[in-house]
Amino acid sequence: MQGFDGFFTGMRISASGLTAERERMDVIAENLANARTTRTPEGGPYRRKVVIFEPLLQELEGEQRSVGVQSLPVQQDRATDFERVLDPGHPDAGPDGMVLYPNVNTVMEMADLITSMRAYEANLTAQENFVRMAERALELLR
Amino acid sequence: MLQPTATDLLVRMLGACELRARVVSANIANSNTPGYVRRVVRFEELLRRELLQGGDPARVLPQTSADLSAPARPDGNNVNLELELNAMRENRLLYESYSSILRSHFELLETAIASG
């Protein structure tokens, strides 16, 4: 054992998971809040935002090891089409009377939110685990 | 009696548990990373095999490898949160038992010194 470094590294791994999941929850909240936004500064309806995760790698003893997770810059979902609703009276309706609504699927966002919350809790449990292990190691010194 | 090899082994088993805790945490942190493959640490079984063969336990090192046997989700990720949390608890119980045994070894040593 090399002191307490191992425990601290472990706690940082869990912390990276907590940060990433929180960022994802923020973006999900933004998507849900804008699920009906038809006007944006860049024109057109709100476009769904997506968070992408990638493993945080570190070269250790000649091999790539995952030392956590990080989120990449938020990207927009350009693959899913906007929802088209016939509503000629709407101020944002096009010449054909169709209103474009964001490509946000609230049910899908809610499902993602639940997954994210569960992962957040799991990361928290993992972090507490390192504290318990470190306490146990301390007992050996008493 | 207090054997130096036993103490050394216990310390290394604690080290392997610590490494495993880090690997499990990395799995949990990456539970929503597309394409991530969970990793596992093997040590106790390698140690058992070496001891059964009458080899030198000091030669055995903990091994981290990708676990491809777990079923993957459509995004290629094969982390199951419940299984990881279970692995984490199991690992902590192991850590606690190893450290208890190590502590009793130290106590034996203390007794021997005090009565010597």
Side-chain angles (χ1 to χ4, degrees), chain A residues 1-2 6-7 13 21 24 53-55 63 66 68-69 118 122-123 126 129-130 132-133 136-137 139-140, chain B residues 15 17-18 21-22 25-26 28-34 36 39 81-82 85 88 92 95-96 99-100 102-103:
Chain A
M1 285 201 294
Q2 56 298 76
F7 299 124
I13 293 175
E21 295 299 344
R24 191 158 86 117
F53 288 170
E54 71 171 13
E63 78 171 302
S66 166
V69 65
R118 282 197 334 145
N123 277 297
N129 179 70
F130 284 107
R132 301 258 170 77
M133 279 172 79
R136 194 74 187 191
E139 276 175 30
L140 283 173
Chain B
C17 277
E18 198 193 297
R22 281 202 299 276
S25 298
I28 292 175
N30 283 289
S31 64
N32 286 316
T33 308
Y36 180 86
R39 296 180 73 78
L81 269 189
E82 289 76 24
L85 284 171
M88 176 139 269
R92 200 174 84 213
Y95 189 87
E96 286 175 359
S99 68
S100 293
L102 189 59
R103 192 174 166 76

Side-chain angles (χ1 to χ4, degrees), chain B residues 11-76:
Chain B
V11 170
R12 293 180 51 224
M13 280 155 96
L14 284 172
C17 277
E18 198 193 297
L19 172 67
R20 187 178 292 123
R22 281 202 299 276
V23 169
V24 173
S25 298
N27 288 345
I28 292 175
N30 283 289
S31 64
N32 286 316
T33 308
Y36 180 86
V37 177
R38 77 183 288 258
R39 296 180 73 78
V40 284
V41 173
R42 287 160 68 222
F43 183 61
E44 285 88 346
E45 52 170 303
L46 300 175
L47 198 62
R48 189 183 301 132
R49 199 182 303 156
E50 187 75 18
L51 286 170
L52 282 176
Q53 288 170 351
D56 179 14
R59 276 199 336 212
V60 184
L61 291 171
Q63 281 177 7
T64 314
S65 54
D67 175 20
L68 294 161
S69 67
R73 296 199 303 249
D75 67 356

Side-chain angles (χ1 to χ4, degrees), chain A:
Chain A
M1 285 201 294
Q2 56 298 76
F4 274 40
D5 277 5
F7 299 124
F8 295 151
T9 310
M11 286 168 76
R12 279 195 291 270
I13 293 175
S14 302
S16 76
L18 289 171
T19 311
E21 295 299 344
R22 207 234 323 116
E23 281 170 4
R24 191 158 86 117
M25 285 192 270
D26 286 350
V27 169
I28 293 172
E30 198 185 334
N31 284 342
L32 284 171
N34 284 294
R36 268 356 220 174
T37 303
T38 51
R39 246 179 244 186
T40 53
E42 56 269 23
Y46 173 85
R47 214 174 257 282
R48 171 178 178 246
K49 286 180 182 164
V50 190
V51 171
I52 300 154
F53 288 170
E54 71 171 13
L56 198 60
L57 298 171
Q58 199 180 61
E59 179 94 12
L60 257 174
E61 289 155 32
E63 78 171 302
Q64 289 278 323
R65 284 197 193 163
S66 166
V67 289
V69 65
Q70 64 180 351
S71 59
L72 298 172
V74 177
Q75 288 183 25
Q76 288 185 323
D77 174 2
R78 299 199 169 270
T80 321
D81 291 329
F82 290 127
E83 191 190 339
R84 290 166 63 85
V85 176
L86 181 68
D87 184 3
H90 194 289
D92 288 326
D96 55 353
M98 296 301 248
V99 182
L100 289 181
Y101 280 104
N103 53 353
V104 175
N105 179 337
T106 36
V107 177
M108 216 168 84
E109 297 294 330
M110 287 306 288
D112 278 352
L113 186 64
I114 292 165
T115 334
S116 204
M117 273 165 67
R118 282 197 334 145
Y120 189 89
E121 283 160 13
N123 277 297
L124 209 56
T125 310
Q127 201 174 39
E128 279 161 11
N129 179 70
F130 284 107
V131 180
R132 301 258 170 77
M133 279 172 79
E135 279 170 358
R136 194 74 187 191
L138 268 178
E139 276 175 30
L140 283 173
L141 301 174
R142 277 186 198 137

